Amino acid sequence: MYRSHTCGELRDSHINTDVVLSGWVHKTRDKGFVVWVDLRDRYGITQLVFDEDRTSKELLESARNLGREFVIQVNGSVIERASKNDKIPTGSIEVLVKELTILNTSKTPPFTIEKDTDGGEDLRMKYRYLDIRRNPVKNNLIFRSKVAMEVRKYLSQQGFIEVETPYLIKSTPEGARDFVVPSRMNEGQFYALPQSPQTFKQLLMVGGMDKYFQIVKCFRDEDLRADRQPEFTQIDCEMAFVEQEDILNVFEGLTRYLLKEINGIDVDKFPRMTYDEAMKKYGNDKPDIRFGMEFRALTPKGGTFGFDIFDSAELVVGISVPGCANYTRKQIDALTDWVRRPQIGAKGMVWVKYNDDGSLNSSVNKFFDEAALLDMATQMDANPGDLMLILAGETHKTRTQLSALRMELAQQLGLRKSNEFAPLWVVDFPLLELDEETGHYHAMHHPFTSPKPGQMELLDTDPGAVRANAYDLVLNGNEIGGGSIRIHDKETQSIMFKHLGFTPEEAKAQFGFLMDAFQYGAPPHGGIAFGLDRLVAILGGQETIRDFIAFPKNNSGRDVMIDAPAPIDTAQLEELHLKLDI
C-alpha cells in the first residue's frame, strides 16, 4: 500500500493514527536537531517531522538528503503540530516519520513549483508536466473536469444521448482551413480532421436521435490568440422537432445550471438583442453588458457640424465615460495614442469634458461653442462629471474602433469584474456576408443555416438583407455558444449552395451524402455548440483558455514540450505517397 491517506486529508481527529503517505517533496527545512519536510500531492500538503530525539540517525540523515520533487513514501504517526499553520487545512497536525522510502529521485526543477513561480511562460510550457503540479494549473484542470461533468449531468437529465462521431472525415471548402491527413491505403487522397461534427449531428437527427450531445475535439488550422487553439473542445448539441425558442430555453437552462452549480450564482435574465442592435449600441456582435458606455451616434443640429472631420464621415459616434471628466491631458493623450495604434487604426479622437460644475471644454473648442458641446452631451446622455470620447469615419471600422476603446476603458476602470456574469442572446444575424475582395457572399455561420421564415425569396433580390435563423450566446463579452435552425430539405439546401457559388456538381461532390439523407424524412432540427475551453475559463474568472488545457500549443501552434509538429522520415513519406521538395 503506497498510501492510507492523501496529503490533504489529515486533521486533528487523526492524531495518534498510524498513516502511510506518498507524494513529492515540496520543501525541506533543516534546523540541525530537527528536519521538516512538506510532502505534496494533488490533494494538499502535509508536514513531516524528523527529530533527533524520536528519529534514528540514519532516518534523520536520509531526510537531510531529500531533494525538491523527490517522490517518497513515509510511514508514521499523526501528532499535534506545535506551531500551527492556519493557511492550510492540515496545518494543525504533522506526521512523525518512522520509515522513509525514496520511490524516485528528481533533478532540480527548472522553475519553482509554487503558486507564484519564477518560470516564464515558454519554460513552463516546455515542462508542462511540472507546471501541472502547481496549484493554479492543477486546480484549473480539476475545475474543467467539474464543469464537463456538470454539463453531462444536465444534458443527460434533459434526455440527451451522447454519441461519438468520426475524426477522420472529408475536407469541405467552408469555414477555416482544415488539418488534412494523408491516406496510406488510398493514394493521393486525404482525410480532414473535423472543424465541427456539423453534418454528422444533422445525420443523427435524420436517424431519429432527437437529442444528441458530445464533448468533442475539433480542429482548425488558423491563426492563434489567447482564446484560440488549433485543437479545441466543443459541447456539441442538436435537437429535432424544435424551433429557435425551444433551443434557447434548453441552453439558457444549461447556462443557468452551470452558473449555480459551479459559481453559486443565480442568473434570471437572459436578455435578447438583434445583431443590428448589438452593432449599433456596442460595435460588435458579442457585447459585454456588465457595464454601460453604449454608443451614441451624433447628428448636427443645423445639417452640418462645421467641422470637416465630422462632416466628411459616414458615422460620428461616441461613448460617455462616467465620472472621468477629471482625466488629465496626459491620460487622454494616452487613450488617443491607444486608438491610433495599428491594431485599432483610428486616425484620432475628439474628447469633451462635461465638468462637475456643468461647464464643457473639449479638444475642438475652436470649432464648437459651449452650446454645441452641450447638444453633443444631450445626444450622448452624458451627465456632469462624464468624459465623452468621439470617433468619426466609415461606419463599420469606426464602430469596431470604438468597441475596442470601450473594452479597454472598462478594463482600466475595473468594470469587467470576473465574479459578475451577464449572459446575452444575440439573434437575427445576417445569413450571408459579402467578401469585399472577391465580391462573393459566404455563409456567416455555415451553409446549413436556415433563413428566417419568409425570407428565402430575398436571396435572389437582396441577399445581404436575409436574416439567419441563428443565435449566439454571449457571456461577459465572449461568445460561448452559437447555433442555428438548420435547413432540412434538399430543395432549400440546393438553393443555398447555389447562392454560395457552388455548382450542382460541386454541391453533390462535397455534400451529396447530406442531400441524399434529406430525401429520407429529415425532421426539422437545430442545435448549438459551446466552446468548452472558453466557457470554463470565464466560469473560472479568466478569459485566457491556455491554463485550462492540460497540454496547450503556443502562439505558433507548436507543442514545445514534445516538439510538434516535426518532420517524418522518408520511409513514412513514401508509404503515404508524399514527396517533399526542400
Side-chain angles (χ1 to χ4, degrees):
M1 181 173 64
Y2 281 110
R3 57 186 178 185
S4 60
H5 298 77
T6 69
C7 294
E9 187 177 350
L10 300 176
R11 302 289 188 272
D12 287 341
S13 59
H14 295 95
I15 289 174
N16 296 324
T17 303
D18 288 337
V19 297
V20 183
L21 301 180
S22 293
W24 288 265
V25 173
H26 187 63
K27 285 180 182 176
T28 60
R29 298 180 299 284
D30 187 352
K31 296 296 183 181
F33 62 92
V34 61
V35 175
W36 288 283
V37 175
D38 286 346
L39 187 66
R40 185 193 70 242
D41 65 8
R42 175 187 132 189
Y43 306 93
I45 289 177
T46 296
Q47 180 171 283
L48 312 178
V49 61
F50 304 76
D51 68 54
E52 60 185 17
D53 293 333
R54 295 173 290 181
T55 304
S56 69
K57 289 182 179 180
E58 293 79 13
L59 192 54
L60 192 60
E61 192 59 32
S62 295
R64 289 194 173 104
N65 291 326
L66 292 174
R68 283 169 48 203
E69 302 306 309
F70 276 34
V71 185
I72 64 172
Q73 178 190 45
V74 297
N75 292 9
S77 296
V78 182
I79 61 175
E80 186 175 1
R81 187 165 167 171
S83 179
K84 292 181 170 53
N85 180 358
D86 60 5
K87 295 181 180 178
I88 59 173
T90 60
S92 63
I93 59 91
E94 59 190 2
V95 173
L96 177 62
V97 177
K98 299 174 182 176
E99 296 179 27
L100 167 65
T101 304
I102 296 175
L103 301 174
N104 212 335
T105 60
S106 173
K107 293 172 64 176
T108 301
F111 52 86
T112 55
I113 312 297
E114 299 281 0
K115 178 182 177 181
D116 298 315
T117 182
D118 56 357
E121 187 172 326
D122 290 342
L123 184 65
R124 288 186 290 111
M125 286 188 71
K126 183 175 181 180
Y127 297 93
R128 184 64 166 180
Y129 45 85
L130 297 179
D131 201 26
I132 290 171
R133 294 181 191 173
R134 295 174 52 244
N135 279 339
V137 182
K138 175 198 74 176
N139 291 337
N140 284 347
L141 296 181
I142 294 170
F143 183 81
R144 180 190 177 103
S145 175
K146 181 180 179 182
V147 173
M149 286 191 288
E150 293 297 343
V151 167
R152 283 190 165 95
K153 182 178 176 182
Y154 174 86
L155 291 174
S156 297
Q157 289 173 346
Q158 297 296 316
F160 283 78
I161 303 300
E162 187 167 12
V163 182
E164 293 178 273
T165 53
Y167 278 158
L168 295 175
I169 65 168
K170 186 177 186 177
S171 182
T172 60
E174 286 296 314
R177 297 182 193 90
D178 288 325
F179 282 102
V180 295
V181 180
S183 171
R184 177 182 59 83
M185 293 181 290
N186 300 275
E187 183 175 353
Q189 297 185 326
F190 297 81
Y191 299 105
L193 299 179
Q195 297 183 34
S196 159
Q198 181 61 45
T199 53
F200 289 100
K201 65 180 180 179
Q202 291 191 247
L203 292 171
L204 286 169
M205 297 303 103
V206 178
M209 303 295 286
D210 66 339
K211 288 185 176 181
Y212 141 93
F213 87 98
Q214 182 180 190
I215 297 180
V216 59
K217 276 285 190 200
C218 301
F219 307 85
R220 289 179 187 167
D221 187 6
E222 58 186 355
D223 295 336
L224 308 182
R225 59 186 186 216
D227 62 346
R228 181 182 287 166
Q229 288 272 302
E231 51 181 311
F232 57 96
T233 306
Q234 282 187 181
I235 307 165
D236 198 61
C237 307
E238 197 81 2
M239 302 171 69
F241 303 109
V242 290
E243 297 177 335
Q244 177 176 298
E245 196 66 26
D246 300 308
I247 293 175
L248 267 55
N249 287 336
V250 169
F251 292 97
E252 273 184 26
L254 172 61
T255 309
R256 190 177 286 113
Y257 174 83
L258 291 175
L259 286 168
K260 179 65 175 177
E261 292 299 315
I262 302 297
N263 299 87
I265 292 175
D266 291 304
V267 176
D268 294 326
K269 295 181 179 178
F270 280 71
R272 299 182 188 182
M273 185 180 296
T274 66
Y275 170 86
D276 290 339
E277 185 183 1
M279 297 302 293
K280 186 176 179 180
K281 284 186 174 181
Y282 300 101
N284 70 68
D285 58 5
K286 47 181 183 295
D288 191 335
I289 59 171
R290 285 175 293 180
F291 55 94
M293 292 192 282
E294 292 183 9
F295 291 11
R296 292 289 185 267
L298 296 178
T299 55
K301 210 168 187 179
T304 178
F305 286 103
F307 178 48
D308 187 59
I309 291 173
F310 283 6
D311 288 329
S312 62
E314 206 172 86
L315 176 70
V316 181
V317 64
I319 55 175
S320 179
V321 190
C324 290
N326 60 356
Y327 264 32
T328 65
R329 184 61 183 269
K330 183 178 179 181
Q331 287 175 293
I332 295 175
D333 286 347
L335 290 174
T336 304
D337 290 341
W338 192 88
V339 297
R340 282 175 170 161
R341 296 180 313 146
Q343 301 95 314
I344 308 301
K347 293 180 179 178
M349 179 178 73
V350 170
W351 57 265
V352 181
K353 289 185 178 184
Y354 196 168
N355 298 311
D356 288 326
D357 62 4
S359 64
L360 294 110
N361 64 298
S362 74
S363 58
V364 286
N365 276 344
K366 64 180 179 180
F367 297 100
F368 297 96
D369 59 21
E370 189 152 322
L373 296 177
L374 184 59
D375 181 59
M376 288 185 193
T378 302
Q379 291 191 57
M380 292 179 66
D381 292 332
N383 297 304
D386 292 354
L387 173 67
M388 293 172 274
L389 303 175
I390 304 166
L391 300 180
E394 186 270 321
T395 298
H396 180 72
K397 287 181 180 177
T398 304
R399 283 175 173 169
T400 301
Q401 292 158 0
L402 190 60
S403 175
L405 176 61
R406 176 180 180 267
M407 295 298 279
E408 174 65 17
L409 279 163
Q411 192 69 35
Q412 290 184 15
L413 296 170
L415 301 177
R416 305 193 70 200
K417 297 175 182 176
S418 62
N419 60 348
E420 292 181 3
F421 296 92
L424 169 73
W425 285 109
V426 178
V427 299
D428 295 354
F429 284 83
L431 182 69
L432 304 173
E433 275 186 311
L434 182 66
D435 187 321
E436 294 181 0
E437 291 185 9
T438 64
H440 298 305
Y441 282 99
H442 62 86
M444 191 164 187
H445 281 76
H446 53 61
F448 316 109
T449 295
S450 172
K452 297 288 278 189
Q455 295 203 354
M456 197 70 189
E457 58 273 13
L458 285 175
L459 281 171
D460 288 322
T461 57
D462 191 2
V466 181
R467 300 290 113 177
N469 212 343
Y471 34 82
D472 280 359
L473 182 56
V474 177
L475 186 62
N476 296 358
N478 294 271
E479 178 203 332
I480 61 166
S484 65
I485 299 299
R486 323 300 187 190
I487 296 168
H488 68 279
D489 65 275
K490 182 178 179 179
E491 290 72 23
T492 305
Q493 189 64 73
S494 296
I495 292 169
M496 178 62 72
F497 284 143
K498 182 187 78 172
H499 283 281
L500 292 172
F502 289 85
T503 66
E505 294 75 23
E506 287 170 338
K508 182 173 178 57
Q510 292 290 340
F511 302 108
F513 64 93
L514 185 65
M515 307 276 274
D516 289 345
F518 284 170
Q519 299 177 95
Y520 291 92
H525 59 280
I528 193 168
F530 284 71
L532 179 65
D533 309 302
R534 192 177 303 171
L535 174 63
V536 169
I538 295 169
L539 294 177
Q542 301 179 41
E543 292 190 14
T544 302
I545 65 175
R546 188 174 292 160
D547 277 348
F548 291 87
I549 298 172
F551 300 103
K553 306 290 189 291
N554 69 9
N555 288 340
S556 300
R558 293 198 65 81
D559 186 323
V560 296
M561 184 183 66
I562 64 172
D563 193 24
I568 60 175
D569 64 35
T570 303
Q572 281 181 287
L573 289 171
E574 290 175 352
E575 199 171 36
L576 294 168
H577 318 290
L578 297 175
K579 183 180 179 181
L580 294 181
D581 294 322
I582 299 176

